[in-house]
Amino acid sequence: MPLSPLLPLPRWDDATVAVAPPGSGAGHWAGAPSAVLDADGSYLLAYRMRAPLAAGRGLSVVLARSADGTTVHPVGEVTKDRFGAESLERPALVRTPEGRWRLYISCATTGSKHWWVDVLEAATPEELPVAPRRTVLPGDATHAVKDPVIVVDGGTWHLWASVHPLDVAGQEDRMTTEHYTSPDGLDWTHRGTALAGRAGRWDARGVRVSAVFRVDGRWSATYDGRASAGENWEERTGLAYGTADAADGFTPQGGEPVARSPHGPGGLRYLSAVGRPDGGYRLFYEATRADGAHELRTELLRPPVPAQQPVPAAGPDGTA
């Protein structure tokens, strides 16, 4: 009987802290990671560092390398001033089919609830901080766009973004996940809503796809969800399934989150799941710790080992 597929879901107790927040207490965050497995088996990582609202919000995105996934060595940094932004949020680090590197950055418009996404491209991750920038998802007066998740499948680029309607003042935390496609990762076409909240459920107020992967040949995703505006910044992780052919729609599974922090309001969000050659995953995610700060955690999920079949006892003549 075939083994059940390994799902990239955090188990918490097996995780270690990869990056600590820049300070203690609520509002100090290290997280919103995007990770890629390099050709030599090491990890390339981009993550956001944040201070409390009055101390600068999302300060920078750090680029780092890690040989084992747990010990992280920064190799570059881009600050919010590089983009003329009030704050930065989740990046997406992508290696193109041609072997170049791109860093997609979520940028907040100063004095507004509006967000947009820029991209930097260079030959190496170390060169990304000084690469020219280009706006690829501008948003508009009625929608903020941020937190891209990108998968290149065949000749098509897929992007899932957190989109916030700006039509009602004070209600801008509402969010859906929208799906976009592109032939080159630069010019994107909106394909529709990929995931929306469920009325009366733990994810009613907003949902944000955090990672996309395949399970038994079908598109699947983890996502961040919250029930109310009061849970903003403390989303938990859910699981959603799509279909084998379509990447534009996901159906949430179950009535509760599949992963959460044991501390405070339980925030565990922005999961990045890196598939490994052995069939396992290296996970990176942002989670609430006991003092209310958010830390960047990582854990290794190994594929299950098939059970050994019992060997039949030999008969008197030595045959089984």
Side-chain angles (χ1 to χ4, degrees), residues 72-129:
V72 174
H73 301 284
V75 297
E77 183 178 27
V78 291
T79 68
K80 64 180 181 177
D81 294 337
R82 171 80 164 79
F83 302 88
E86 184 174 350
S87 184
L88 301 182
E89 258 300 328
R90 192 191 201 180
L93 181 62
V94 180
R95 183 172 49 200
T96 73
E98 296 77 26
R100 292 177 62 79
W101 291 88
R102 289 184 185 167
L103 184 65
Y104 295 78
I105 300 279
S106 302
C107 307
T109 301
T110 301
S112 167
K113 298 294 186 180
H114 175 264
W115 288 79
W116 81 93
V117 177
D118 276 1
V119 66
L120 309 173
E121 181 175 333
T124 67
E126 288 82 357
E127 296 174 273
L128 284 169

Side-chain angles (χ1 to χ4, degrees), residues 31-320:
S34 175
V36 178
L37 188 67
D38 209 352
D40 62 0
S42 64
Y43 298 90
L44 277 300
L45 188 64
Y47 55 90
R48 177 263 299 116
M49 299 296 284
R50 183 187 185 276
L53 292 177
R57 298 178 62 191
L59 303 174
S60 68
V61 167
V62 178
L63 292 153
R65 290 183 178 271
S66 176
D68 59 5
T70 60
T71 303
V72 174
H73 301 284
V75 297
E77 183 178 27
V78 291
T79 68
K80 64 180 181 177
D81 294 337
R82 171 80 164 79
F83 302 88
E86 184 174 350
S87 184
L88 301 182
E89 258 300 328
R90 192 191 201 180
L93 181 62
V94 180
R95 183 172 49 200
T96 73
E98 296 77 26
R100 292 177 62 79
W101 291 88
R102 289 184 185 167
L103 184 65
Y104 295 78
I105 300 279
S106 302
C107 307
T109 301
T110 301
S112 167
K113 298 294 186 180
H114 175 264
W115 288 79
W116 81 93
V117 177
D118 276 1
V119 66
L120 309 173
E121 181 175 333
T124 67
E126 288 82 357
E127 296 174 273
L128 284 169
V130 296
R133 66 185 182 93
R134 169 176 173 170
T135 298
V136 290
L137 290 176
D140 55 37
T142 60
H143 293 89
V145 184
K146 60 194 288 284
D147 304 325
V149 173
I150 297 174
V151 173
V152 183
D153 184 59
T156 301
W157 291 63
H158 296 270
L159 182 151
W160 296 268
S162 167
V163 175
H164 299 250
L166 306 178
D167 56 330
V168 181
Q171 304 294 314
E172 297 91 351
D173 68 288
R174 297 167 297 159
M175 62 182 176
T176 60
T177 293
E178 303 297 314
H179 178 224
Y180 304 78
T181 60
S182 171
D184 58 9
L186 298 173
D187 296 308
W188 295 94
T189 299
H190 181 223
R191 297 300 183 184
T193 299
L195 188 66
R198 298 173 291 177
R201 301 291 191 93
W202 69 272
D203 52 8
R205 183 70 173 184
V207 290
R208 172 178 57 222
V209 162
S210 57
V212 176
F213 43 91
R214 295 275 191 168
V215 173
D216 288 338
R218 62 181 171 178
W219 292 89
S220 304
T222 53
Y223 69 95
D224 303 335
R226 61 172 176 264
S228 67
E231 293 176 348
N232 194 10
W233 309 317
E234 296 291 347
E235 294 86 3
R236 283 86 64 204
T237 294
L239 176 67
Y241 287 146
T243 67
D245 300 322
D248 54 355
F250 297 102
T251 301
Q253 303 297 301
E256 297 292 336
V258 295
R260 59 182 298 152
S261 166
H263 303 298
L268 194 158
R269 60 193 199 142
Y270 289 127
L271 174 71
S272 183
V274 183
R276 292 174 45 82
D278 64 2
Y281 291 96
R282 166 68 66 179
L283 306 184
F284 298 89
Y285 53 87
E286 177 181 321
T288 306
R289 68 183 193 183
D291 69 347
H294 291 187
E295 60 192 10
L296 175 52
R297 296 171 67 88
T298 184
E299 57 185 280
L300 181 63
L301 301 184
R302 299 185 184 277
V305 177
Q308 296 295 319
Q309 297 296 320
V311 178
D317 59 357
T319 61

